[in-house]
Amino acid sequence: MDYTSDTKSEKLLAFVEWLKTNGAEFSKVEIRDTASEGGNGMYALERIEPGECYAFIPHSLIITGKVCHDTVRTNGPQQPVAENDPRPGRLMMCVFLIHERFVAGEGSFWKPYIDILPREFHTPLQFSDEELKFLRGTPAEFAVEERRQGYREEHEKALALVPESFIPRSVLTFENYLWAMTVLSSRSFSKDLMAGSLCELTSESEVLMPLLDMSNHCPRTPVTWTIDDWGVGFSDDDNAIEIGQEITNDYGEKSNEELMMGYGFCVQGNPLSCFHIKLNYSRDPLVEAKERLLAAVGLDKSHDQYIRASGLPRDLLPVLRVMVMTDVDLYFIGQDVDRDLLEHVGLRNELRARFLLMFLLEKKLTVFESSAASVPAKATTANAQVALAYRTEVGDILRSTITNLQTAEQDIMARACRLFESGGHELPRYICAERPEQAAAGSKRARTDATPSEQFLGMLITSESLASDQAFHEASEQIDVSEDVLLTLFLLRARMLPSSPWHAAIRRLDGFRHPMLLFEQGDSVDEVYGEMLAEVGELHDSLFPLLTEHFGDVFPAEHFTVDKFLWASGIVEAFRVVVPPRCTSGGSEVEGICLV
């Protein structure tokens, strides 16, 4: 049952008296019932000077893990509280709160504090079905169910851990457990913020601190913690707090999704607001090698990434660059691990990483926009208004990020074309160790109406490129082989013809050796490359000298030896890039070989 305003005021007065009786100090502060704003707040009764402690509580008023463990009885013998205590910390704190509220009641030392805790919360876990519709298609839609399921599992553990003689099952319900968990998510302080004697009082990661948890959130509010053997105090070392001014706290660098999920509100114009995505490459056959590489360069292999309106997170593109690496990339880069290398592996890798990110975000945008039809026309409740603000923000971040990525993508493809025409390159370091050349000034192709992506497609070696060499094209139409084999043959043909637009770029790769060509040199090369070497060698033997006999001018023997065929086949396999449909005029993806 919720409080009436009179009852709430009485409980607030009792809480203030309890604080003072037990050693809390806050003579210049008033705890005010701000019912119109949804809760309580702290306000200055007198001017508070910079550095002056305005709120202090002794250790005896802090609810730590030890306090909970000392109170809660569990099935089986009690064990000393230690770092390796098997009983989950948050679970025990939730059980403690439920016990003190519903079972201990009047006999609880903590009753005045329990009485002023909100009975109702406004996080998405407490939203109605209608209010939850505003979250459809957003990351929060799935986060709500994921969190609810996690809490249900914790509640089941609590039921197994706590005897009914301590808390009746009619009290230890999921609804009450959810209430207690939301108390923790909205009011607890991380133990990491503290040090010394307070840390020794708990083996858990969170504590509840009556009085100090009454401040409302205001971003970038400077709060200094003073922790000693007596207790914990708050002050503002930088600014004076004037009479009547609300005393706020900074709840930390939290996005609006985090604030909504944990506290039930959003901050307008929050610079930390973000769009949450999960990267999933668990089905990638190279996942173990990629995770080893990420660990070697100190990158978190976590799948969670948070894209803000201000730009991409620092580690997102480096992680994606690893995700799109081929086995050849991993073979060479794995022998030369360098975090700086992942800032730019090569132009081909960069495009692959950005194509993947765009694919993920466009897929998210499709889901988001298709869900709009099921979102109510108006937000008629406070919860719905918070959810709508979050939803609007998610759409804005998603669309602006996609727009910025599209611009960057076109810039990269335009740069690739300039490099190709000027003889420059941005090849991986394991192919060309020297610093990548830059396109010479003024070397852009002649003015054209073609977009950068259309020009880029013309630079790739694709199945469409075969028609640029009439003799090869006519011969290829009489050969029944796969597209990859045709590209291998075309690449060798362009290598032998100085007039080919790809000649210089191909000759630059004369020193490249696919791992299959290194197989016979040592045991460090995986056996799969030995099998590949044998297969490609057999393929060459099935084509030559037959092709030379029938098309001698197109496939002269000295340019189509088995060694050269193996070399070219390795380039086709390693330098492949797939251009997505949105970048092509035909609306279908185009696969080609990128040589810059």
Side-chain angles (χ1 to χ4, degrees):
M1 183 176 72
D2 210 349
Y3 303 127
T4 65
S5 59
D6 290 342
T7 302
K8 191 171 181 181
S9 297
E10 290 174 5
K11 292 181 182 295
L12 193 57
L13 290 174
F15 172 62
V16 169
E17 186 60 32
W18 175 77
L19 288 170
K20 292 178 179 178
T21 300
N22 288 283
E25 299 176 7
F26 52 105
S27 60
K28 291 188 176 183
V29 172
E30 175 187 24
I31 302 174
R32 190 179 300 172
D33 176 7
T34 56
S36 61
E37 299 175 16
N40 300 314
M42 294 176 65
Y43 294 82
L45 291 172
E46 303 178 30
R47 175 185 167 89
I48 300 171
E49 299 299 330
E52 181 180 358
C53 180
Y54 55 77
F56 168 88
I57 60 171
H59 289 310
S60 60
L61 290 183
I62 300 175
I63 300 177
T64 65
K66 186 176 187 304
V67 168
C68 298
H69 282 287
D70 288 348
T71 300
V72 176
R73 293 202 310 274
T74 59
N75 291 314
Q78 289 281 15
Q79 299 293 330
V81 176
E83 289 298 330
N84 62 351
D85 194 309
R87 291 168 291 178
R90 286 173 66 100
L91 184 153
M92 292 298 286
M93 295 193 85
C94 287
V95 170
F96 171 84
L97 289 171
I98 293 170
H99 177 269
E100 298 304 292
R101 175 184 171 187
F102 295 102
V103 180
E106 296 294 331
S108 171
F109 168 75
W110 303 97
K111 175 177 168 54
Y113 176 60
I114 300 294
D115 281 349
I116 60 94
L117 294 176
R119 295 303 186 251
E120 294 182 357
F121 288 96
H122 300 280
T123 75
L125 291 170
Q126 288 86 18
F127 280 12
S128 68
D129 290 344
E130 190 71 9
E131 291 165 342
L132 284 172
K133 290 180 180 179
F134 286 93
L135 301 181
R136 288 183 177 174
T138 72
E141 177 186 14
F142 308 101
V144 171
E145 189 52 41
E146 192 175 79
R147 186 169 298 190
R148 187 184 297 276
Q149 181 59 32
Y151 290 168
R152 285 193 182 278
E153 292 173 2
E154 289 185 25
H155 175 245
E156 290 297 323
K157 291 178 182 178
L159 289 173
L161 185 69
V162 179
E164 188 164 6
S165 59
F166 185 69
I167 301 181
R169 292 298 176 265
S170 60
V171 172
L172 191 53
T173 63
F174 178 68
E175 288 71 22
N176 288 339
Y177 191 85
L178 185 59
W179 166 82
M181 188 60 78
T182 313
V183 168
L184 291 183
S185 74
S186 61
R187 305 184 78 88
S188 64
F189 293 84
S190 170
K191 191 188 72 170
D192 295 339
L193 295 172
M194 309 164 210
S197 58
L198 186 56
C199 282
E200 297 170 3
L201 292 176
T202 178
S203 62
E204 318 305 346
S205 61
E206 298 167 303
V207 296
L208 288 169
M209 298 198 290
L211 174 64
L212 302 185
D213 63 359
M214 304 297 285
S215 296
N216 291 315
H217 175 61
C218 182
R220 295 178 293 280
T221 297
V223 176
T224 300
W225 294 59
T226 302
I227 304 169
D228 55 29
D229 292 340
W230 302 102
V232 181
F234 279 6
S235 63
D236 183 339
D237 286 352
D238 300 326
N239 308 293
I241 302 173
E242 303 298 336
I243 297 175
Q245 180 179 339
E246 183 176 9
I247 302 172
T248 56
N249 192 1
D250 186 345
Y251 291 0
E253 295 188 346
K254 297 184 184 296
S255 67
N256 274 346
E257 182 176 328
E258 292 173 290
L259 292 173
M260 180 181 67
M261 292 294 294
Y263 305 89
F265 66 86
C266 290
V267 174
Q268 186 175 4
N270 185 351
L272 299 174
S273 291
C274 63
F275 185 86
H276 175 207
I277 62 172
K278 282 180 177 284
L279 303 178
N280 185 1
Y281 54 105
S282 59
R283 296 184 179 180
D284 186 336
L286 301 174
V287 60
E288 292 184 3
K290 292 177 179 181
E291 289 189 343
R292 283 197 299 271
L293 177 57
L294 289 173
V297 298
L299 280 172
D300 184 2
K301 65 180 183 180
S302 168
H303 296 176
D304 294 299
Q305 295 286 339
Y306 300 89
I307 299 175
R308 306 195 188 285
S310 57
L312 303 178
R314 178 178 180 269
D315 289 342
L316 175 55
L317 281 173
V319 170
L320 286 170
R321 290 172 189 134
V322 173
M323 284 182 65
V324 300
M325 282 183 181
T326 65
D327 61 312
V328 177
D329 292 328
L330 290 169
Y331 174 80
F332 288 106
I333 292 174
Q335 301 177 36
D336 183 23
V337 176
D338 185 346
R339 171 67 172 81
D340 291 339
L341 182 148
L342 295 184
E343 292 304 318
H344 188 72
V345 177
L347 192 142
R348 171 179 52 85
N349 173 274
E350 188 69 16
L351 279 174
R352 284 164 59 96
R354 289 175 178 273
F355 287 161
L356 174 58
L357 181 56
M358 280 290 291
F359 170 77
L360 294 174
L361 294 182
E362 287 184 324
K363 192 173 180 180
K364 295 290 185 182
L365 182 60
T366 298
V367 172
F368 177 81
E369 292 182 336
S370 63
S371 68
S374 63
V375 174
K378 293 183 179 180
T380 58
T381 66
N383 288 346
Q385 289 166 7
V386 169
L388 179 59
Y390 163 75
R391 179 183 184 83
T392 302
E393 174 185 86
V394 163
D396 291 344
I397 293 174
L398 195 49
R399 293 186 186 94
S400 65
T401 300
I402 288 174
T403 298
N404 292 336
L405 285 172
Q406 287 173 330
T407 299
E409 192 177 79
Q410 292 293 307
D411 289 344
I412 293 171
M413 287 190 281
R415 186 170 80 245
C417 294
R418 294 196 298 272
L419 287 166
F420 180 71
E421 292 176 1
S422 65
H425 71 84
E426 287 184 12
L427 293 169
R429 193 166 67 189
Y430 66 79
I431 296 175
C432 289
E434 75 273 11
R435 183 179 179 180
E437 302 169 26
Q438 299 300 315
S443 64
K444 299 178 183 179
R445 64 172 59 218
R447 187 175 182 84
T448 175
D449 293 332
T451 65
S453 57
E454 290 170 337
Q455 295 178 42
F456 178 74
L457 288 171
M459 182 206 78
L460 298 179
I461 296 179
T462 68
S463 59
E464 298 295 320
S465 306
L466 309 185
S468 66
D469 183 338
Q470 185 175 353
F472 180 90
H473 181 61
E474 291 175 354
S476 67
E477 291 196 329
Q478 302 178 55
I479 305 172
D480 184 17
V481 293
S482 69
E483 183 175 307
D484 277 1
V485 174
L486 284 177
L487 292 176
T488 300
L489 295 172
F490 182 82
L491 192 145
L492 286 174
R493 169 87 173 164
R495 182 182 181 276
M496 68 177 256
L497 296 176
S499 60
S500 169
W502 295 281
H503 177 77
I506 294 171
R507 292 307 300 259
R508 188 188 297 120
L509 300 177
D510 279 351
F512 171 69
R513 291 294 178 267
H514 189 282
M516 69 175 172
L517 300 179
L518 306 175
F519 176 73
E520 296 178 348
Q521 298 180 12
D523 298 332
S524 61
V525 182
D526 195 291
E527 288 186 4
V528 69
Y529 292 121
E531 296 171 2
M532 184 184 301
L533 180 66
E535 290 175 4
V536 177
E538 291 175 2
L539 178 60
H540 174 270
D541 293 344
S542 71
L543 296 173
F544 295 93
L546 190 62
L547 290 183
T548 301
E549 293 172 356
H550 285 78
F551 309 101
D553 292 339
V554 180
F555 304 113
E558 67 272 21
H559 291 290
F560 290 84
T561 64
V562 64
D563 288 341
K564 290 177 180 177
F565 187 85
L566 290 168
W567 168 82
S569 180
I571 289 177
V572 170
E573 197 269 335
F575 286 69
R576 195 187 313 271
V577 64
V578 179
V579 182
R582 58 185 166 74
C583 295
T584 68
S585 58
S588 300
E589 68 179 25
V590 173
E591 189 172 308
I593 311 305
C594 179
L595 301 173
V596 295

